[in-house]
Amino acid sequence: MSKQTTINDCKIIDLRKIHDPRGNLTPIEGGVDVPFDIKRIYYLYDVPGGESRGSHAHKELQQLIVAASGSFTVTLDDGTNKKSFNLNRSYYGLLVVPGIWRDLDDFSSGAVLLCLASEHYKASDYIRDYDEFLRYKEV
């Protein structure tokens, strides 16, 4: 399936926001707020100015990427089309389906990227070479 996915299968998910004068809360539940069970959570932080992260695709893994703090840009590529998303609100998540190349850049100072993943880490699920990605997608 991931060989046929396109950037149109990726989307911004408007997460629930519970307003409270003491501070807002955004719950994220696997299978409820995201279309997968959450098996791994990680976050990126202290990304130096001008640095990029990502630059890979997954064969099976789905992700929800959230700007927990600050902002950054996620550029998605399906081998034919590209689309960029500027994430800067903690109640929006970007759903990234398998078979999509992603580049992360333009991190603001103090930005924290929170990622909820559908699978445990598996090195064999990664495609880290763009030419290999294009061959995988048969573009």
Side-chain angles (χ1 to χ4, degrees):
M1 166 167 163
S2 65
K3 291 185 178 189
Q4 287 77 36
T5 56
T6 72
I7 57 172
N8 295 324
D9 298 311
C10 302
K11 63 182 179 179
I12 294 289
I13 294 176
D14 193 3
L15 300 167
R16 293 179 284 161
K17 184 176 180 184
I18 300 170
H19 296 279
D20 188 306
R22 299 168 298 162
N24 296 324
L25 174 84
T26 295
I28 304 173
E29 298 179 29
V32 176
D33 301 295
V34 294
F36 56 82
D37 290 332
I38 300 165
K39 293 188 179 172
R40 182 167 55 113
I41 299 170
Y42 63 90
Y43 50 96
L44 296 174
Y45 57 97
D46 292 342
V47 177
E51 289 296 319
S52 295
R53 296 293 307 247
S55 296
H56 64 269
H58 292 280
K59 297 173 189 171
E60 298 174 14
L61 182 89
Q62 295 184 73
Q63 296 177 314
L64 185 74
I65 300 173
V66 177
S69 182
S71 65
F72 49 86
T73 300
V74 181
T75 301
L76 302 179
D77 179 344
D78 60 20
T80 303
N81 299 297
K82 291 183 181 185
K83 186 172 182 180
S84 292
F85 297 85
N86 182 265
L87 297 181
N88 59 9
R89 298 282 186 260
S90 56
Y91 48 87
Y92 291 133
L94 176 60
L95 176 66
V96 182
V97 298
I100 302 295
W101 188 268
R102 79 281 328 268
D103 288 305
L104 312 167
D105 53 24
D106 300 326
F107 286 85
S108 68
S109 178
V112 177
L113 179 154
L114 174 68
C115 186
L116 293 83
S118 66
E119 304 296 330
H120 297 286
Y121 175 81
K122 184 168 61 171
S124 62
D125 185 58
Y126 283 73
I127 303 171
R128 298 184 187 273
D129 178 80
Y130 189 73
D131 290 332
E132 179 184 337
F133 168 71
L134 292 177
R135 287 190 297 277
Y136 175 79
K137 294 291 281 191
E138 300 173 350
V139 175

